[in-house]
Amino acid sequence: MKYVLNITEKFKTNSVPENIKPMSDYMKGKFEFFGIKTPERRKLSKEIFAEFGYPDEQEFEKVIRKLWAEPQREVHYFTLDLIHKLQKKLKKNYLQLWEDLIVTNSWWDSVDGLAAGVIGEHFKTYPDEIYPVTEKWINSGNIWLQRTSLLFQLKYKADTDEKLLSDYILRLKDSNEFFIKKAIGWILREYSKTNPDYVTNFVKENTISEFSKREAMKWLNSRK
């Protein structure tokens, strides 16, 4: 596909070989890299959008899947940027695509970009899907789907569904997975900026891991 080829060639041309190993090591060797650091990558993405534009909706899903299948992590980050730019204009329900991205080439960086941004926006458009979909994800045994169920409300602030949040945290609180414990602490810490009483009482009244608790109370404790 020409659009995808144009993008990958642009990244390849701007590769910085000396950065590849340090960037790969930081990500535990899970992904290949072109060695393009975030500020340069963002600048390059702007150039790509200016030069090649955006795919139309007829080819959108095919483009996204092909980009996500590329081995280099910078292309995955570009894909997230592309989704964020187009998502509100899309007329089709792309839930299956979003779910496939969550469970493919999964690591905290891609999943967090999908959870707080893409999935959070999706559920604002399709609120009736929140409970059945996240319930399925919580029960899936897949830590990345579970993490997404915790974090999709990260930017919801006063619109946060506290009952749902409490339920999912309590169902996952005994997980030994670092990324679940971290997500519990993160969502509580972020929500403490909106409703400090809820978070203070939740941490006090429920048994969650010490790590999650410390993460949850960081912002509130820094205010004392």
Side-chain angles (χ1 to χ4, degrees):
M1 181 177 287
K2 188 176 180 181
Y3 187 84
V4 173
L5 183 61
N6 287 338
I7 291 163
T8 54
E9 285 299 316
K10 193 83 169 179
F11 275 103
K12 190 181 297 183
T13 301
N14 287 271
S15 178
V16 185
E18 62 267 28
N19 292 338
I20 292 174
K21 187 178 186 307
M23 292 175 77
S24 178
D25 289 348
Y26 178 71
M27 298 299 287
K28 310 294 185 185
K30 290 182 174 294
F31 305 100
E32 296 180 24
F33 281 86
F34 284 116
I36 305 170
K37 294 184 177 181
T38 300
E40 290 73 25
R41 177 181 56 79
R42 287 176 176 160
K43 182 180 177 182
L44 187 59
S45 292
K46 288 182 180 179
E47 292 176 7
I48 289 171
F49 291 138
E51 186 173 351
F52 303 116
Y54 306 96
D56 59 36
E57 189 155 4
Q58 283 188 323
E59 62 176 3
F60 172 79
E61 182 167 352
K62 189 174 181 181
V63 165
I64 296 300
R65 290 188 182 279
K66 282 187 172 293
L67 287 170
W68 205 255
E70 292 293 319
Q72 291 84 9
R73 203 56 166 166
E74 292 95 335
V75 180
H76 303 159
Y77 299 148
F78 172 85
T79 308
L80 290 173
D81 291 342
L82 178 59
I83 294 170
H84 292 152
K85 284 186 173 292
L86 297 182
Q87 186 174 6
K88 289 183 179 179
K89 300 176 183 177
L90 300 173
K91 296 186 172 77
K92 181 181 169 184
N93 185 332
Y94 286 95
L95 178 64
Q96 188 58 57
L97 174 60
W98 309 148
E99 183 174 326
D100 290 345
L101 299 184
I102 293 168
V103 299
T104 306
N105 287 321
S106 310
W107 199 236
W108 61 267
D109 54 343
S110 60
V111 171
D112 292 356
L114 288 161
V118 178
I119 300 300
E121 285 299 319
H122 176 89
F123 285 144
K124 286 179 181 178
T125 304
Y126 303 100
D128 290 346
E129 292 186 348
I130 292 175
Y131 178 78
V133 171
T134 57
E135 179 72 11
K136 181 187 76 169
W137 289 352
I138 282 287
N139 292 324
S140 68
N142 181 294
I143 67 165
W144 303 115
L145 292 173
Q146 291 173 335
R147 185 173 167 97
T148 301
S149 295
L150 291 168
L151 295 181
F152 80 88
Q153 299 194 84
L154 197 67
K155 298 178 182 178
Y156 279 23
K157 297 183 178 180
D159 293 327
T160 296
D161 184 332
E162 292 179 359
K163 183 178 178 181
L164 190 71
L165 179 61
S166 299
D167 179 36
Y168 287 171
I169 291 174
L170 293 176
R171 286 162 66 178
L172 294 173
K173 68 182 179 66
D174 295 323
S175 172
N176 291 320
E177 293 286 352
F178 170 80
F179 290 111
I180 297 299
K181 293 178 182 179
K182 183 77 171 179
I184 290 171
W186 186 14
I187 187 64
L188 286 173
R189 182 174 72 249
E190 192 62 27
Y191 191 50
S192 73
K193 299 171 188 176
T194 298
N195 190 340
D197 290 340
Y198 164 86
V199 174
T200 300
N201 292 333
F202 184 89
V203 169
K204 188 182 298 183
E205 294 168 4
N206 296 284
T207 304
I208 60 176
S209 75
E210 286 301 316
F211 176 71
S212 295
K213 189 183 297 185
R214 287 196 303 274
E215 290 292 308
M217 297 302 293
K218 267 184 182 177
W219 187 80
L220 290 175
N221 289 336
S222 72
R223 309 285 289 178
K224 291 180 181 177

